[in-house]
Short mmCIF file of all heavy atoms in Angstrom, two decimals:
data_model
loop_
_atom_site.label_atom_id
_atom_site.label_comp_id
_atom_site.label_asym_id
_atom_site.label_seq_id
_atom_site.Cartn_x
_atom_site.Cartn_y
_atom_site.Cartn_z
N VAL A 1 -1.65 2.60 -1.65
CA VAL A 1 -1.56 1.40 -2.48
C VAL A 1 -1.81 0.17 -1.62
O VAL A 1 -2.58 -0.72 -2.00
CB VAL A 1 -0.20 1.32 -3.21
CG1 VAL A 1 0.04 -0.06 -3.81
CG2 VAL A 1 -0.11 2.39 -4.28
N ALA A 2 -1.18 0.10 -0.45
CA ALA A 2 -1.38 -1.04 0.45
C ALA A 2 -2.85 -1.18 0.82
O ALA A 2 -3.42 -2.28 0.76
CB ALA A 2 -0.53 -0.86 1.71
N LYS A 3 -3.49 -0.06 1.16
CA LYS A 3 -4.91 -0.09 1.53
C LYS A 3 -5.75 -0.54 0.35
O LYS A 3 -6.60 -1.43 0.48
CB LYS A 3 -5.37 1.29 2.00
CG LYS A 3 -6.85 1.33 2.35
CD LYS A 3 -7.34 2.74 2.53
CE LYS A 3 -7.49 3.36 1.17
NZ LYS A 3 -8.20 4.58 1.08
N ASN A 4 -5.54 0.06 -0.82
CA ASN A 4 -6.37 -0.25 -1.98
C ASN A 4 -6.19 -1.67 -2.50
O ASN A 4 -7.13 -2.27 -3.02
CB ASN A 4 -6.10 0.76 -3.10
CG ASN A 4 -6.63 2.14 -2.78
OD1 ASN A 4 -7.50 2.31 -1.94
ND2 ASN A 4 -6.09 3.13 -3.44
N LEU A 5 -4.99 -2.23 -2.36
CA LEU A 5 -4.73 -3.57 -2.85
C LEU A 5 -5.10 -4.67 -1.85
O LEU A 5 -5.59 -5.72 -2.25
CB LEU A 5 -3.26 -3.74 -3.23
CG LEU A 5 -2.79 -3.06 -4.50
CD1 LEU A 5 -1.29 -3.29 -4.70
CD2 LEU A 5 -3.57 -3.57 -5.71
N PHE A 6 -4.84 -4.44 -0.56
CA PHE A 6 -4.93 -5.52 0.40
C PHE A 6 -5.94 -5.34 1.53
O PHE A 6 -6.26 -6.31 2.20
CB PHE A 6 -3.55 -5.76 1.04
CG PHE A 6 -2.47 -6.06 0.05
CD1 PHE A 6 -1.41 -5.20 -0.12
CD2 PHE A 6 -2.52 -7.22 -0.71
CE1 PHE A 6 -0.40 -5.49 -1.03
CE2 PHE A 6 -1.52 -7.51 -1.62
CZ PHE A 6 -0.45 -6.65 -1.79
N LEU A 7 -6.41 -4.12 1.76
CA LEU A 7 -7.24 -3.86 2.93
C LEU A 7 -8.61 -3.34 2.55
O LEU A 7 -8.96 -3.26 1.39
CB LEU A 7 -6.51 -2.90 3.88
CG LEU A 7 -5.12 -3.40 4.33
CD1 LEU A 7 -4.38 -2.30 5.08
CD2 LEU A 7 -5.25 -4.65 5.18
N TRP A 8 -9.38 -2.96 3.52
CA TRP A 8 -10.75 -2.50 3.32
C TRP A 8 -10.81 -0.98 3.42
O TRP A 8 -9.94 -0.35 4.01
CB TRP A 8 -11.66 -3.14 4.37
CG TRP A 8 -11.28 -2.78 5.78
CD1 TRP A 8 -11.77 -1.75 6.53
CD2 TRP A 8 -10.31 -3.44 6.62
NE1 TRP A 8 -11.17 -1.73 7.77
CE2 TRP A 8 -10.28 -2.75 7.85
CE3 TRP A 8 -9.47 -4.54 6.45
CZ2 TRP A 8 -9.46 -3.13 8.91
CZ3 TRP A 8 -8.65 -4.90 7.50
CH2 TRP A 8 -8.64 -4.21 8.71
N PRO A 9 -11.83 -0.37 2.82
CA PRO A 9 -11.98 1.09 2.95
C PRO A 9 -12.45 1.45 4.36
O PRO A 9 -12.85 0.58 5.13
CB PRO A 9 -13.04 1.44 1.90
CG PRO A 9 -13.78 0.18 1.68
CD PRO A 9 -12.85 -0.96 1.97
N GLY A 10 -12.41 2.71 4.65
CA GLY A 10 -12.84 3.16 5.97
C GLY A 10 -11.63 3.43 6.84
O GLY A 10 -10.50 3.10 6.51
N ARG A 11 -11.92 4.05 7.99
CA ARG A 11 -10.83 4.43 8.88
C ARG A 11 -10.95 3.66 10.18
O ARG A 11 -12.00 3.64 10.82
CB ARG A 11 -10.87 5.93 9.14
CG ARG A 11 -10.69 6.70 7.86
CD ARG A 11 -10.55 8.18 8.02
NE ARG A 11 -11.38 8.79 9.02
CZ ARG A 11 -11.76 10.04 9.01
NH1 ARG A 11 -11.40 10.80 8.03
NH2 ARG A 11 -12.49 10.54 9.97
N SER A 12 -9.85 3.03 10.55
CA SER A 12 -9.80 2.35 11.85
C SER A 12 -8.34 2.17 12.25
O SER A 12 -7.45 2.15 11.40
CB SER A 12 -10.50 0.98 11.79
OG SER A 12 -9.72 0.07 11.05
N ILE A 13 -8.13 2.03 13.52
CA ILE A 13 -6.77 1.80 14.01
C ILE A 13 -6.27 0.45 13.51
O ILE A 13 -5.10 0.31 13.16
CB ILE A 13 -6.74 1.89 15.55
CG1 ILE A 13 -7.00 3.33 15.97
CG2 ILE A 13 -5.41 1.41 16.10
CD1 ILE A 13 -7.15 3.54 17.46
N ALA A 14 -7.15 -0.54 13.45
CA ALA A 14 -6.75 -1.87 12.98
C ALA A 14 -6.25 -1.82 11.54
O ALA A 14 -5.20 -2.39 11.22
CB ALA A 14 -7.92 -2.84 13.10
N ARG A 15 -6.99 -1.12 10.67
CA ARG A 15 -6.56 -1.02 9.28
C ARG A 15 -5.24 -0.28 9.18
O ARG A 15 -4.33 -0.68 8.45
CB ARG A 15 -7.61 -0.33 8.42
CG ARG A 15 -7.36 -0.62 6.93
CD ARG A 15 -7.84 0.42 5.97
NE ARG A 15 -6.97 1.59 6.06
CZ ARG A 15 -7.42 2.84 5.97
NH1 ARG A 15 -8.68 3.09 5.81
NH2 ARG A 15 -6.59 3.85 6.06
N LYS A 16 -5.08 0.82 9.92
CA LYS A 16 -3.83 1.58 9.90
C LYS A 16 -2.68 0.71 10.39
O LYS A 16 -1.57 0.78 9.87
CB LYS A 16 -3.94 2.81 10.80
CG LYS A 16 -4.10 4.17 10.19
CD LYS A 16 -3.35 4.44 8.96
CE LYS A 16 -3.78 5.78 8.43
NZ LYS A 16 -3.35 6.05 7.10
N GLY A 17 -2.95 -0.10 11.41
CA GLY A 17 -1.92 -0.98 11.95
C GLY A 17 -1.44 -2.02 10.94
O GLY A 17 -0.28 -2.39 10.93
N LEU A 18 -2.33 -2.48 10.10
CA LEU A 18 -1.97 -3.42 9.04
C LEU A 18 -1.35 -2.72 7.83
O LEU A 18 -0.49 -3.27 7.15
CB LEU A 18 -3.20 -4.21 8.60
CG LEU A 18 -3.79 -5.16 9.63
CD1 LEU A 18 -5.14 -5.68 9.16
CD2 LEU A 18 -2.82 -6.30 9.92
N GLU A 19 -1.79 -1.50 7.60
CA GLU A 19 -1.35 -0.75 6.43
C GLU A 19 0.14 -0.41 6.49
O GLU A 19 0.84 -0.51 5.48
CB GLU A 19 -2.17 0.54 6.37
CG GLU A 19 -1.97 1.42 5.19
CD GLU A 19 -2.87 2.64 5.30
OE1 GLU A 19 -4.11 2.50 5.23
OE2 GLU A 19 -2.31 3.75 5.47
N LEU A 20 0.62 -0.05 7.65
CA LEU A 20 2.01 0.39 7.77
C LEU A 20 3.02 -0.69 7.40
O LEU A 20 3.88 -0.45 6.54
CB LEU A 20 2.28 0.94 9.18
CG LEU A 20 3.68 1.48 9.41
CD1 LEU A 20 3.98 2.62 8.46
CD2 LEU A 20 3.83 1.94 10.85
N PRO A 21 2.94 -1.91 7.96
CA PRO A 21 3.93 -2.91 7.54
C PRO A 21 3.77 -3.31 6.07
O PRO A 21 4.77 -3.59 5.40
CB PRO A 21 3.68 -4.11 8.47
CG PRO A 21 2.39 -3.86 9.15
CD PRO A 21 2.11 -2.39 9.05
N LEU A 22 2.55 -3.33 5.57
CA LEU A 22 2.36 -3.62 4.14
C LEU A 22 3.02 -2.54 3.29
O LEU A 22 3.67 -2.85 2.28
CB LEU A 22 0.87 -3.71 3.80
CG LEU A 22 0.16 -4.98 4.24
CD1 LEU A 22 -1.36 -4.82 4.08
CD2 LEU A 22 0.66 -6.18 3.47
N ALA A 23 2.87 -1.28 3.67
CA ALA A 23 3.48 -0.18 2.93
C ALA A 23 5.00 -0.28 2.97
O ALA A 23 5.67 -0.04 1.95
CB ALA A 23 3.01 1.16 3.48
N LEU A 24 5.55 -0.61 4.12
CA LEU A 24 7.00 -0.76 4.22
C LEU A 24 7.48 -1.90 3.31
O LEU A 24 8.50 -1.77 2.62
CB LEU A 24 7.41 -1.03 5.67
CG LEU A 24 7.22 0.15 6.62
CD1 LEU A 24 7.46 -0.29 8.05
CD2 LEU A 24 8.12 1.30 6.24
N TRP A 25 6.75 -3.01 3.27
CA TRP A 25 7.09 -4.13 2.40
C TRP A 25 7.03 -3.71 0.93
O TRP A 25 7.94 -4.00 0.16
CB TRP A 25 6.16 -5.32 2.69
CG TRP A 25 6.40 -6.46 1.77
CD1 TRP A 25 7.41 -7.38 1.82
CD2 TRP A 25 5.60 -6.81 0.63
NE1 TRP A 25 7.29 -8.28 0.78
CE2 TRP A 25 6.18 -7.96 0.04
CE3 TRP A 25 4.45 -6.28 0.06
CZ2 TRP A 25 5.66 -8.56 -1.09
CZ3 TRP A 25 3.93 -6.88 -1.06
CH2 TRP A 25 4.53 -8.01 -1.64
N ILE A 26 5.95 -3.03 0.55
CA ILE A 26 5.79 -2.57 -0.84
C ILE A 26 6.95 -1.65 -1.21
O ILE A 26 7.54 -1.77 -2.28
CB ILE A 26 4.44 -1.85 -1.03
CG1 ILE A 26 3.30 -2.87 -0.98
CG2 ILE A 26 4.41 -1.08 -2.36
CD1 ILE A 26 1.92 -2.22 -0.88
N ASP A 27 7.29 -0.73 -0.32
CA ASP A 27 8.38 0.20 -0.58
C ASP A 27 9.72 -0.53 -0.72
O ASP A 27 10.59 -0.10 -1.46
CB ASP A 27 8.45 1.23 0.56
CG ASP A 27 8.83 2.60 0.08
OD1 ASP A 27 8.77 2.87 -1.13
OD2 ASP A 27 9.19 3.43 0.94
N TRP A 28 9.86 -1.62 -0.02
CA TRP A 28 11.10 -2.39 -0.06
C TRP A 28 11.24 -3.20 -1.34
O TRP A 28 12.33 -3.32 -1.89
CB TRP A 28 11.17 -3.29 1.17
CG TRP A 28 12.47 -4.01 1.32
CD1 TRP A 28 13.70 -3.46 1.55
CD2 TRP A 28 12.67 -5.42 1.23
NE1 TRP A 28 14.66 -4.43 1.62
CE2 TRP A 28 14.04 -5.66 1.44
CE3 TRP A 28 11.82 -6.50 1.02
CZ2 TRP A 28 14.58 -6.93 1.41
CZ3 TRP A 28 12.37 -7.76 1.01
CH2 TRP A 28 13.73 -7.97 1.21
N VAL A 29 10.12 -3.75 -1.84
CA VAL A 29 10.21 -4.67 -2.98
C VAL A 29 9.92 -4.04 -4.34
O VAL A 29 10.25 -4.63 -5.37
CB VAL A 29 9.29 -5.91 -2.80
CG1 VAL A 29 9.67 -6.69 -1.56
CG2 VAL A 29 7.83 -5.53 -2.77
N LEU A 30 9.34 -2.86 -4.36
CA LEU A 30 8.99 -2.24 -5.64
C LEU A 30 9.68 -0.89 -5.82
O LEU A 30 9.78 -0.11 -4.86
CB LEU A 30 7.47 -2.02 -5.73
CG LEU A 30 6.59 -3.26 -5.74
CD1 LEU A 30 5.12 -2.85 -5.73
CD2 LEU A 30 6.89 -4.13 -6.94
N PRO A 31 10.09 -0.59 -7.03
CA PRO A 31 10.64 0.75 -7.28
C PRO A 31 9.51 1.79 -7.25
O PRO A 31 8.34 1.46 -7.48
CB PRO A 31 11.25 0.64 -8.68
CG PRO A 31 10.62 -0.55 -9.31
CD PRO A 31 10.16 -1.46 -8.20
N LYS A 32 9.86 3.01 -6.99
CA LYS A 32 8.86 4.09 -6.88
C LYS A 32 8.02 4.21 -8.15
O LYS A 32 6.82 4.44 -8.08
CB LYS A 32 9.53 5.44 -6.58
CG LYS A 32 10.08 5.54 -5.20
CD LYS A 32 8.99 5.54 -4.18
CE LYS A 32 9.55 5.69 -2.79
NZ LYS A 32 8.57 5.38 -1.77
N ARG A 33 8.63 4.06 -9.28
CA ARG A 33 7.89 4.17 -10.55
C ARG A 33 6.76 3.14 -10.60
O ARG A 33 5.66 3.45 -11.04
CB ARG A 33 8.85 4.01 -11.72
CG ARG A 33 8.20 4.25 -13.06
CD ARG A 33 9.20 4.07 -14.20
NE ARG A 33 8.57 4.35 -15.46
CZ ARG A 33 8.70 5.46 -16.15
NH1 ARG A 33 9.48 6.42 -15.69
NH2 ARG A 33 8.07 5.62 -17.28
N ARG A 34 7.02 1.92 -10.17
CA ARG A 34 5.98 0.87 -10.17
C ARG A 34 4.90 1.17 -9.14
O ARG A 34 3.72 0.93 -9.40
CB ARG A 34 6.63 -0.50 -9.90
CG ARG A 34 5.65 -1.64 -9.90
CD ARG A 34 5.08 -1.90 -11.29
NE ARG A 34 4.23 -3.07 -11.26
CZ ARG A 34 3.01 -3.14 -11.76
NH1 ARG A 34 2.52 -2.12 -12.43
NH2 ARG A 34 2.30 -4.22 -11.65
N ILE A 35 5.28 1.71 -7.99
CA ILE A 35 4.30 2.08 -6.97
C ILE A 35 3.35 3.15 -7.51
O ILE A 35 2.13 3.06 -7.35
CB ILE A 35 5.00 2.56 -5.67
CG1 ILE A 35 5.73 1.39 -5.01
CG2 ILE A 35 3.97 3.16 -4.69
CD1 ILE A 35 6.66 1.80 -3.88
N ILE A 36 3.91 4.14 -8.20
CA ILE A 36 3.08 5.19 -8.80
C ILE A 36 2.16 4.59 -9.86
O ILE A 36 0.98 4.92 -9.94
CB ILE A 36 3.96 6.31 -9.41
CG1 ILE A 36 4.66 7.09 -8.31
CG2 ILE A 36 3.14 7.24 -10.29
CD1 ILE A 36 3.77 7.92 -7.43
N GLU A 37 2.69 3.70 -10.68
CA GLU A 37 1.88 3.05 -11.72
C GLU A 37 0.71 2.29 -11.11
O GLU A 37 -0.43 2.40 -11.57
CB GLU A 37 2.76 2.10 -12.54
CG GLU A 37 2.01 1.39 -13.64
CD GLU A 37 2.90 0.40 -14.38
OE1 GLU A 37 4.11 0.29 -14.09
OE2 GLU A 37 2.36 -0.28 -15.27
N ILE A 38 0.97 1.54 -10.05
CA ILE A 38 -0.10 0.80 -9.37
C ILE A 38 -1.12 1.78 -8.79
O ILE A 38 -2.33 1.61 -8.95
CB ILE A 38 0.47 -0.12 -8.28
CG1 ILE A 38 1.28 -1.25 -8.92
CG2 ILE A 38 -0.66 -0.69 -7.41
CD1 ILE A 38 2.11 -2.05 -7.92
N TYR A 39 -0.63 2.81 -8.12
CA TYR A 39 -1.52 3.80 -7.53
C TYR A 39 -2.45 4.41 -8.57
O TYR A 39 -3.66 4.50 -8.37
CB TYR A 39 -0.70 4.91 -6.85
CG TYR A 39 -1.55 6.02 -6.30
CD1 TYR A 39 -2.30 5.83 -5.15
CD2 TYR A 39 -1.63 7.24 -6.95
CE1 TYR A 39 -3.10 6.85 -4.64
CE2 TYR A 39 -2.43 8.26 -6.45
CZ TYR A 39 -3.15 8.05 -5.30
OH TYR A 39 -3.95 9.06 -4.82
N LEU A 40 -1.88 4.83 -9.70
CA LEU A 40 -2.69 5.45 -10.76
C LEU A 40 -3.76 4.50 -11.28
O LEU A 40 -4.81 4.94 -11.75
CB LEU A 40 -1.80 5.91 -11.90
CG LEU A 40 -0.85 7.07 -11.60
CD1 LEU A 40 0.08 7.32 -12.78
CD2 LEU A 40 -1.61 8.32 -11.23
N ASN A 41 -3.49 3.21 -11.21
CA ASN A 41 -4.42 2.24 -11.76
C ASN A 41 -5.40 1.65 -10.75
O ASN A 41 -6.32 0.94 -11.16
CB ASN A 41 -3.66 1.13 -12.48
CG ASN A 41 -3.12 1.64 -13.80
OD1 ASN A 41 -3.88 2.03 -14.67
ND2 ASN A 41 -1.81 1.66 -13.94
#
């Protein structure tokens, strides 16, 4: 979800480095049900 919403496609260490804190933030502020809903969409 973090990658699809905020970052670029492709694989790189830089993207992974940005993805992790974004994912932790998303997990902290959104319930799992909303994360799944965003992912599906």
Side-chain angles (χ1 to χ4, degrees):
V1 167
K3 178 192 76 167
N4 290 339
L5 286 178
F6 302 115
L7 303 171
W8 61 93
R11 299 187 321 206
S12 72
I13 292 174
R15 198 208 72 218
K16 255 322 173 192
L18 293 170
E19 185 180 293
L20 183 59
L22 284 169
L24 291 172
W25 176 77
I26 289 169
D27 216 15
W28 187 65
V29 300
L30 296 176
K32 289 292 182 194
R33 186 180 182 102
R34 181 68 175 131
I35 293 169
I36 291 292
E37 180 183 357
I38 292 168
Y39 175 74
L40 292 174
N41 286 299

